[in-house]
Every structure is written in C-alpha cells, then in structure tokens.
Amino acid sequence: MNKRKKTIKNSIIIAGPCAAESKEQILASAKEAQKRKIDFMRICLWKPRTKPGFDGLGKSEIPFLTEVVKMGINPAIEVLLPSHAKAVMDAVLPVLKNGKLLLWIGSRNQNHLIQQQIAKVASKDKRVVLMVKNQPWADEKHWEGIIEHVLAGGISRDCLILCHRGFIPNGHNPLKLRNMPDYEMSMRIKMKTDLPIVFDPSHTGGSIPNILEMTKQAAKHDFDGVMVEVHVNPQNALTDAKQQLTWEQFDKLFKTYRR
Ligand code: PEP
Ligand code: MN
C-alpha cells in the first residue's frame, strides 16, 4: 500500500549538467544550483554514451567535487562500477556536513552483479542515497529485478529511490521523443515497491520543447520529483547539447513546481 502522498510540486529536484566538463563549468553550475537551493546537483564524472567520444572527466577530477561539496552542494553522480562509488564516497563523505550524496545506477548499466556490488558499497553510509534508473527496454519484470538486486546488495529501503527515464521508442512516436515514458508502469512500480520515484524529462524529451511537454505530462502523475539537465552554456555542451536547459529556462519551467 502506498502511503506517500508527495507530488512533483513539493518534492525532490535533481538538476545540473549532463556531464561535468571542466572545473570552471562545475563551479559555475554549483553557484547557480546554490542560488536556487537545488536538492542535488548532477556532477557526472563518468559519462556513458551511445558512441565513444567524450566519456567524462573521470576520477582525476574528484578534487573539484570536494570544493563544490564544501559550498553546501549535495552531489548526484552516476557510477558505473563499485570502485567509482567507493572513490566518490571516500572523497565526498568526509567533507559533507549535513548533506546527502546521491549515487545512481544508469539505464545502460544492466549487469546485475555490478548493481548489487554498487549497492553494497553505497550501503556503508546512511548519508548515501542510491537512485536506480529503469533499463532502456520496456519490461516491468526487469525493472523490478534491478530493484530487488540492489536490495539484495544491502542498500536499505530508506536510502533507495527510483528514476523513470523512459524506454527506447518502438513504433508510434509523434513527438519524436528520445525515450517513451510509461507513466502507468512507473506508478505500478511505485505502488508495488513503495519507493519514491522521480521523473527525467530530459532523457525522455530529448529536445527543449519536448522537455516542456514531458514536464507538463509528468505533473499529472504521482512522481516524487524530477531529474533535469541544466547547463551554464548548453550550446557548447560536450554531451546532450540539444536537451540541456539554461538556468533561466529551468526557472521558468519549474517555478510552479518548486516548494
Ligand atoms: C544520464 O542521466 O546522464 C544518462 C546517461 O541517462 P540514462 O542512463 O537514462 O541513459
Ligand atoms: Mn544526458
């Protein structure tokens, strides 16, 4: 039975660039996120992509991360391996005052053993929230399976949240969405697991007009928040340039959803 009655209107906001690109970009984003009291800022050091290219700054840039944490930012970072989770936790947790660290397992990371191992590392500190994105293909059982695997890895339910980023389009797609949302499945998963679930309008929409549309549609369902890509200079973004909002666009879109 689902007891949570939160909606996007009063819940978690994860925002920031698709990928961390440079010290300057990370610090400029952190200032914008700080002004708006964003709950978690995306700072992805590893950037899994459809084709090889810029794959993220990697571990060597972890020192910038601690600077941002010292500014009071709660980081949200995709981790692909247990060693990523450990490296980030070792650097961030000692400087994290009253905040939280969000680590997430991305859609493309569908090795169940690795999912369990990441959860095991994340479970070592209660200040770490683990977020699980759905897999790329539409399969409710698989999505439930990922959740069961991370729970088997030892993460506690109060440190676990989900994210719906849509499924690979298959057929009718009049808006030319990057990934098709399945709101009904998302709500079923939320009911069955009793876990909070955020919606990702950026990786579903794939373009600015679609992000606006996806945000409107998602607001009709009982999501517990959003994860949205916002860049200080989207035109020159190294990844996902077409779908990153400016902070001004973010303000317009989310002013009605903020606390
Ligand atoms: C992301 O959030 O940056 C990302 C790579 O998304 P996904 O795992 O949903 O493809
Ligand atoms: Mn992206």
Side-chain angles (χ1 to χ4, degrees):
M1 188 58 188
N2 175 27
K3 289 172 219 83
R4 281 187 200 86
K5 274 283 165 257
K6 284 199 225 154
T7 66
I8 283 179
K9 293 178 193 65
N10 62 1
S11 57
I12 184 172
I13 306 256
I14 307 163
C18 176
E21 299 171 1
S22 65
K23 179 177 182 180
E24 293 68 32
Q25 179 241 20
I26 298 172
L27 294 177
S29 305
K31 284 193 189 125
E32 300 293 338
Q34 197 180 34
K35 267 193 248 167
R36 292 163 178 87
K37 298 192 169 58
I38 298 298
D39 298 304
F40 291 98
M41 178 179 134
R42 287 180 59 111
I43 314 175
C44 292
L45 298 174
W46 298 277
K47 200 57 238 153
R49 302 177 66 203
T50 309
K51 299 208 175 167
F54 170 71
D55 297 322
L57 297 172
K59 218 166 157 172
S60 62
E61 307 308 313
I62 283 182
F64 301 154
L65 194 58
T66 52
E67 268 188 59
V68 168
V69 175
K70 285 181 188 161
M71 289 167 65
I73 297 285
N74 293 326
I77 302 170
E78 178 168 354
V79 289
L80 287 96
L81 296 168
S83 61
H84 293 170
K86 181 161 183 343
V88 170
M89 284 167 64
D90 286 348
V92 166
L93 293 176
V95 289
L96 193 68
K97 293 243 165 66
N98 298 313
K100 297 254 182 202
L101 166 65
L102 189 147
L103 299 178
W104 88 78
I105 298 177
S107 175
R108 301 141 200 257
N109 194 354
Q110 292 308 318
N111 179 317
H112 294 320
L113 195 59
I114 288 178
Q115 292 166 348
Q116 288 203 17
Q117 288 168 350
I118 290 173
K120 186 171 179 198
V121 175
S123 71
K124 302 277 183 250
D125 193 304
K126 292 288 275 182
R127 292 172 296 167
V128 180
V129 177
L130 184 66
M131 182 170 84
V132 175
K133 279 190 158 196
N134 64 265
Q135 76 287 349
W137 59 96
D139 178 345
E140 194 163 334
K141 286 238 170 327
H142 185 96
W143 193 355
E144 287 171 25
I146 310 168
I147 299 162
E148 285 169 31
H149 278 292
V150 293
L151 287 167
I155 195 77
S156 69
R157 299 179 54 79
D158 55 345
C159 295
L160 180 60
I161 67 173
L162 312 175
C163 175
H164 185 44
R165 53 73 89 191
F167 296 114
I168 293 171
N170 177 16
H172 190 62
N173 183 8
L175 291 176
K176 301 215 173 344
L177 297 176
R178 180 171 175 186
N179 290 301
M180 297 301 269
D182 188 330
Y183 302 117
E184 284 69 33
M185 192 193 294
S186 301
M187 292 302 116
R188 278 198 302 277
I189 293 273
K190 175 174 165 147
M191 288 284 282
K192 284 195 252 184
T193 61
D194 195 23
L195 291 169
I197 179 165
V198 304
F199 182 70
D200 179 341
S202 306
H203 292 89
T204 45
S207 69
I208 305 299
N210 279 344
I211 289 168
L212 309 186
E213 180 56 29
M214 290 295 95
T215 305
K216 259 200 261 166
Q217 284 187 19
K220 296 178 193 151
H221 302 272
D222 192 21
F223 286 101
D224 298 280
V226 284
M227 171 147 93
V228 56
E229 290 188 339
V230 193
H231 196 285
V232 285
N233 184 1
Q235 275 168 350
N236 294 317
L238 297 183
T239 61
D240 282 353
K242 281 200 299 199
Q243 69 182 40
Q244 302 211 50
L245 302 176
T246 61
W247 283 100
E248 292 69 32
Q249 286 171 323
F250 171 85
D251 288 340
K252 269 200 210 144
L253 184 58
F254 288 99
K255 69 172 183 287
T256 52
Y257 298 106
R258 294 311 312 273
R259 288 187 185 86

